[in-house]
Amino acid sequence: ICLLLPGLAVADEFRVSGLSAQRQGDFFTMQAEVIYDFPKRPLEALQNGVPLTLEVHVQLRRKGAWIWENDLLDIRLRYQIRYHALASIYQVIDMQSGSEEDFVTLQSALAALGEIPEFPLINAERLETGARYLLSLEAKLDIEALPLPLRSMAYITPSWNLSSERKQWLLEP
């Protein structure tokens, strides 16, 4: 029996709504979309000047690989969202490239934050023709990147423990 008590049900979540990969020239590229639905407490922290860092974990491995086999790709993409109260703008930072984009609304900033268009994954020569590979992606809030006074509370508060389910895509070169 599942009992939902008022105030305890958490509808907020991170969700990978799209994941695909395709060959473009000599490389395979990945496209992904993550929906970031933050609960009240992290949004309050953001509104009060606390930057929120998000980590997107991307793995590529041979389908059916043994646990001790190395991944072909295992990277963590990091992004940050900030609110600048004086200018009333949200800033999204791609921490890999250092690029920054400004947005007037939180919704537009979160939508941009969730878009990963044509990310270069792997040189096609590294994949065997006819073999099958699993591309997986998971997104989470990086609690370790929070300011120290907030970090300890975030570890014990469910509304800060935000991550998506792992989404997979079968890649067949």
Side-chain angles (χ1 to χ4, degrees):
I1 295 175
C2 178
L3 180 64
L4 295 178
L5 300 175
L8 294 181
V10 179
D12 307 293
E13 61 180 296
F14 291 176
R15 186 169 44 91
V16 180
S17 65
L19 176 63
S20 64
Q22 64 184 13
R23 187 172 181 158
Q24 291 188 345
D26 292 339
F27 271 84
F28 277 91
T29 60
M30 171 190 77
Q31 298 78 38
E33 182 178 356
V34 180
I35 296 173
Y36 294 106
D37 189 9
F38 285 94
K40 182 179 176 184
R41 286 190 179 181
L43 285 179
E44 285 175 350
L46 178 65
Q47 296 293 333
N48 286 298
V50 175
L52 300 178
T53 302
L54 300 143
E55 184 177 273
V56 177
H57 185 198
V58 180
Q59 286 182 299
L60 180 66
R61 40 185 306 121
R62 188 177 60 78
K63 183 172 172 50
W66 295 97
I67 195 164
W68 57 80
E69 287 183 49
N70 289 334
D71 295 335
L72 291 164
L73 179 73
D74 188 351
I75 57 172
R76 296 176 190 276
L77 306 173
R78 296 173 59 78
Y79 302 93
Q80 193 172 75
I81 184 168
R82 296 177 181 198
Y83 179 66
H84 297 282
L86 290 176
S88 294
I89 59 165
Y90 294 89
Q91 187 176 57
V92 173
I93 302 163
D94 180 336
M95 297 174 79
Q96 290 69 235
S97 67
S99 67
E100 302 174 1
E101 285 186 83
D102 295 335
F103 299 91
V104 177
T105 67
L106 176 61
Q107 290 76 21
S108 58
L110 291 176
L113 187 64
E115 289 292 322
I116 304 173
E118 298 185 9
F119 180 81
L121 281 176
I122 192 166
N123 191 314
E125 293 175 356
R126 293 193 54 205
L127 303 180
E128 295 176 33
T129 304
R132 299 168 72 173
Y133 300 90
L134 279 180
L135 171 65
S136 65
L137 185 138
E138 179 182 24
K140 72 172 192 165
L141 176 67
D142 184 3
I143 292 176
E144 284 294 314
L146 292 170
L148 196 54
L150 189 55
R151 196 178 309 161
S152 58
M153 185 202 58
Y155 273 117
I156 61 172
T157 307
S159 63
W160 284 92
N161 190 10
L162 300 168
S163 65
S164 71
E165 294 287 324
R166 183 173 297 275
K167 181 100 172 191
Q168 294 185 327
W169 173 268
L170 184 62
L171 181 65
E172 297 180 84

